[in-house]
Amino acid sequence: PRFETCWPALMKDSHGVIIIFNPELPSHLREIEMWYSCFVQQQPLLDSQCLLVAHHKPGSAGDMENLSLAYPLNKLKLIHSNLEEDPEDVRMEFIKYFRSIITIINESREREEMSIIS
């Protein structure tokens, strides 16, 4: 919130939003709703252009499977990251996400070109 005046510059022409949070902090679980509202819904971006990353610190005893988020966050792609245990899984999920964003950008560009032609 301290940097709210910078948000329009950050959002300008953005194609995707990655929200990384600590699922063990109740304050983070509340804040991600605000980030989603400001950076995804108000732009507006598609839900498929947003990725949630629940980051588990090394040695944390967080339950990775039973994190249930309320609507509308439960519609978003959620991955768990624990870089000690599964860095390769996280890397593959990021690659999949970036590929999906590139597809969305290309489809949008094609639609624009077709509208100009016709």
Side-chain angles (χ1 to χ4, degrees):
R2 275 183 307 178
F3 302 109
E4 247 175 277
T5 52
C6 303
W7 289 0
L10 288 172
M11 289 189 264
K12 185 176 176 358
D13 299 328
S14 64
H15 296 291
V17 174
I18 298 172
I19 299 172
I20 301 172
F21 65 99
N22 181 343
E24 291 160 45
L25 292 179
S27 61
H28 275 207
L29 295 176
R30 287 191 301 273
E31 283 173 21
I32 56 176
E33 291 185 31
M34 179 207 49
W35 294 115
Y36 172 74
S37 171
C38 292
F39 281 84
V40 180
Q41 289 180 310
Q42 289 178 31
Q43 288 215 68
L45 292 176
L46 302 170
D47 285 341
S48 57
Q49 290 169 275
C50 182
L51 177 66
L52 290 181
V53 181
H55 184 65
H56 300 264
K57 292 182 177 176
S60 66
D63 188 347
M64 292 174 93
E65 298 307 314
N66 293 323
L67 176 63
S68 58
L69 298 171
Y71 180 87
L73 298 174
N74 60 5
K75 301 182 299 173
L76 305 175
K77 171 78 174 164
L78 169 68
I79 66 169
H80 291 271
S81 75
N82 182 328
L83 299 180
E84 272 190 338
E85 291 176 22
D86 58 1
E88 188 58 25
D89 285 359
V90 174
R91 194 174 76 84
M92 292 309 296
E93 289 291 350
F94 270 95
I95 289 170
K96 274 195 277 186
Y97 170 70
F98 288 126
R99 281 188 181 142
S100 72
I101 294 296
I102 290 166
T103 301
I104 289 168
I105 293 167
N106 287 339
E107 288 172 353
S108 169
R109 191 171 294 144
E110 284 171 16
R111 277 195 303 274
E112 282 175 26
E113 288 170 0
M114 290 307 291
S115 68
I116 291 168
I117 292 168
S118 59

